[in-house]
Amino acid sequence: MFCRSGCGACCIAPSISSPIPGMPHGKPAGVVCVQLLPDLTCAIFGDPSRPKVCKDFTPEQYVCGNSKEEAITILNDLESYTRSPKTV
């Protein structure tokens, strides 16, 4: 599967704990990555400074679904399923 044009869900929905250029502490879930361009492509795609988690992400039907909206929902669900429980 190839990235869906006009999507960018993987740059919005998930949290990223590693540094991103312009976001030295990563990004929380639901926050748009500063590297996401207006055309919803990545400004640092192919750049060595791109986080490993982003480099390793491969678009797959089970994650991307059939639309941007479905991808956001799936990624939000995955984010909540994998979130560490907060300790008191």
Side-chain angles (χ1 to χ4, degrees), residues 84-88:
S84 297
K86 292 184 179 184
T87 56
V88 178

Side-chain angles (χ1 to χ4, degrees), residues 18-63:
S18 54
I20 302 164
M23 299 180 104
H25 304 291
K27 69 170 225 58
V31 172
V32 176
C33 178
V34 297
Q35 298 301 332
L36 187 62
L37 298 172
D39 68 355
L40 301 176
T41 60
C42 177
I44 57 172
F45 190 87
D47 188 291
S49 64
R50 189 171 175 225
K52 182 176 181 347
V53 67
C54 299
K55 290 176 195 172
D56 290 348
F57 179 79
T58 304
E60 298 285 348
Q61 182 67 36
Y62 76 95
V63 175

